Amino acid sequence: MSLTSEEARAVGARVREHAAGLGARVTVAIADGGGHLLLVDRMDGAPPLSARIAPAKASGVALFHRDGGELVRLQQAWPALFAQMDQVAGMPIIAGAGSRLIRRGDAVVGAIAVSGGVPEHDDACAEIGLASLSATAPA
């Protein structure tokens, strides 16, 4: 039921392919259900900071069990509380576009986050990554 390293690598490859087709240079990060990183893959030419932002987005989504857009709304509603969450979590947490939960049935098994492109590209790449995982998920 858990997300495997092999699956994370396959999703990362699919995201790279899609990003290249968009002309975007991004970093993709995939975390397990506990917010621990399985993959960080920075494309050549991706902004250097994207290699820190993508993992922080993936970890936050996994730990909160909410997609990036929903985390942005929480951050806007409770900025003081959200500003302290990285201390509680023990890792940086960033809310933003291009971050989605990975589910198997009703269970959260991880998260994917993409950073480095414009928000629309980050979102599109995350969606492609999720779709590729759904297509190869074990029965």
Side-chain angles (χ1 to χ4, degrees), residues 41 52 61 72 77 87 96 101 108 115 117 128 131:
D41 186 4
R52 294 187 185 223
V61 165
V72 168
Q87 294 171 8
L101 284 171
V108 172
S115 181
I128 287 292

Side-chain angles (χ1 to χ4, degrees), residues 30-43:
I30 299 176
D32 67 15
H36 304 284
L37 294 174
L38 294 171
L39 173 90
V40 177
D41 186 4
R42 180 175 170 256
M43 294 174 69

Side-chain angles (χ1 to χ4, degrees), residues 4-126:
T4 67
S5 296
E6 184 177 318
E7 289 172 315
R9 285 190 300 274
V11 170
R14 180 64 184 110
V15 168
R16 277 177 157 270
E17 179 184 319
H18 187 71
L22 294 173
R25 299 288 175 243
V26 300
T27 297
V28 59
I30 299 176
D32 67 15
H36 304 284
L37 294 174
L38 294 171
L39 173 90
V40 177
D41 186 4
R42 180 175 170 256
M43 294 174 69
D44 291 340
L49 195 54
S50 68
R52 294 187 185 223
I53 293 172
K57 289 195 303 188
S59 294
V61 165
L63 291 171
F64 275 88
H65 285 206
R66 290 175 168 78
D67 289 330
E70 197 173 339
L71 282 184
V72 168
R73 288 187 288 281
L74 285 173
Q75 183 180 31
Q76 291 167 343
W78 296 293
L81 177 65
F82 202 92
Q84 298 176 52
M85 284 299 154
D86 59 342
Q87 294 171 8
V88 174
M91 61 185 73
I93 294 175
I94 295 178
S99 49
R100 304 281 189 281
L101 284 171
I102 299 172
R103 295 179 183 271
R104 292 226 167 101
D106 291 335
V108 172
V109 296
I112 180 173
V114 179
S115 181
V118 296
E120 295 79 17
H121 287 168
D122 289 354
D123 279 334
C125 288

